[in-house]
Amino acid sequence: MKLDNISKIFNAHSEEIKALDSVSYEFEKQKFYAIMGHSGSGKTTLINILGLITKPTQGKYYLNDIDVSTLNDEELSRLRMSSIGFIFQDFKLDEHMNALDNVILPMLINKKISPSERVSLAQELLKSVNLDNRLKHFPKELSGGEQQRVAIARALANNPEYIICDEPTGNLDEKNERMVFELLKELTSNGHTIIVVSHSEIVKEFADIVLNLQAGKLSDE
Ligand SMILES: Nc1ncnc2c1ncn2[C@@H]1O[C@H](COP(=O)(O)OP(=O)(O)OP(=O)(O)O)[C@@H](O)[C@H]1O
Ligand SMILES: [Mg+2]
């Protein structure tokens, strides 16, 4: 992942907001990055660009050497599905599906995983986050920490190279927070690159690299 002079300007209510201001940075593979910064400093905007959700106003973003500005919407969504897994503060699980089905869901649009493989793969992923005893539970029957672990398993469903997390532990107590960061950290040795936005100082115990955003400017800590 390489950002080359990326800026993002929002025009809202006849005001121009520069959410990102000339950000250049290259993310190394198989590292755990923590992005920290005050509310409104541009963290979500930055990871939404990295995650191919938002397009920058200025600058180039290269994902595995592909200039993503050359891709059409269909190519972008295919690249997003195959390369990026998302984890959010509020888990964003489907309330009407049990843990197993939540993890299977992203596999349904992936031609590389056959229908017969889906269930066993989802079971394996839930086992890897220590939830093999909660497969049939619905989100409301799970604790916050358990729900976030289902979300981690779901983010891994299509084996994406990058896992992008926006405040993944914002709704968790310290014990569950450490568990989530520990699981994410372990993923770097399986080939994944982890990018976590967090307000929590605890993330620094797990991150390989801590970056700071201040008024849309990115810097090493
Ligand atoms: N869609 C939008 N339209 C207009 N302004 C926006 C939009 N999204 C974000 N902004 C503005 O851009 C700035 C950066 O927002 P962003 O959500 O990236 O901050 P953040 O660092 O994630 O904050 P927080 O820690 O509170 O989540 C803010 O001033 C925000 O008001
Ligand atoms: Mg945010």
Side-chain angles (χ1 to χ4, degrees):
M1 285 177 162
K2 186 177 166 195
L3 299 166
D4 183 11
N5 204 26
I6 292 282
S7 293
K8 178 71 184 181
I9 293 159
F10 291 110
N11 290 297
H13 315 286
S14 64
E15 200 195 337
E16 213 174 63
I17 297 167
K18 204 166 205 178
L20 293 174
D21 188 359
S22 313
V23 172
S24 294
Y25 193 79
E26 186 161 3
F27 291 85
E28 277 178 58
K29 295 188 176 192
Q30 297 188 40
K31 299 275 190 216
F32 184 135
Y33 286 88
I35 300 176
M36 307 193 74
H38 294 300
S39 181
S41 59
K43 303 181 298 297
T44 296
T45 307
L46 178 67
I47 60 170
N48 282 346
I49 287 174
L50 292 173
L52 305 175
I53 291 173
T54 306
K55 290 180 181 169
T57 313
Q58 180 204 298
K60 294 267 191 209
Y61 168 36
Y62 301 87
L63 181 58
N64 294 344
D65 296 327
I66 300 166
D67 172 357
V68 302
S69 68
T70 64
L71 305 179
N72 63 33
D73 285 348
E74 198 194 317
E75 291 166 329
L76 278 174
S77 61
R78 215 177 308 134
L79 184 62
R80 189 189 309 120
M81 184 204 78
S82 61
S83 318
I84 296 164
F86 291 96
I87 297 169
F88 302 96
Q89 176 170 357
D90 58 357
F91 324 128
K92 294 205 196 305
L93 298 175
D94 189 318
E95 297 296 323
H96 305 292
M97 288 184 180
N98 65 30
L100 195 65
D101 288 333
N102 264 286
V103 179
I104 288 172
L105 190 63
M107 299 179 192
L108 301 180
I109 50 166
N110 184 349
K111 293 194 184 75
K112 288 189 194 139
I113 304 173
S114 71
S116 59
E117 286 172 310
R118 287 172 194 154
V119 173
S120 57
L121 182 55
Q123 281 172 337
E124 222 174 275
L125 288 168
L126 283 163
K127 188 161 193 263
S128 74
V129 295
N130 302 317
L131 283 177
D132 33 339
N133 54 353
R134 293 288 188 275
L135 304 181
K136 300 286 178 197
H137 283 237
F138 287 83
K140 66 172 182 301
E141 300 169 333
L142 296 168
S143 74
E146 288 168 343
Q147 289 183 63
Q148 197 57 305
R149 283 185 278 145
V150 174
I152 293 175
R154 181 187 56 183
L156 291 166
N158 291 328
N159 195 26
E161 190 171 352
Y162 299 96
I163 306 284
I164 292 179
C165 318
D166 200 348
E167 293 279 357
T169 63
N171 287 342
L172 304 181
D173 63 21
E174 197 175 317
K175 179 167 161 271
N176 281 297
E177 176 164 38
R178 284 178 194 279
M179 195 188 289
V180 163
F181 287 147
E182 186 66 50
L183 281 167
L184 292 172
K185 172 91 188 161
E186 279 168 24
L187 293 174
T188 57
S189 37
N190 301 340
H192 300 280
T193 302
I194 313 295
I195 300 174
V196 176
V197 160
S198 182
H199 282 114
S200 168
E201 292 291 317
I202 291 173
V203 74
K204 293 184 179 173
E205 296 169 26
F206 297 87
D208 297 305
I209 296 135
V210 179
L211 301 173
N212 255 301
L213 253 182
Q214 252 185 315
K217 294 263 189 204
L218 188 71
S219 59
D220 289 300
E221 205 180 58

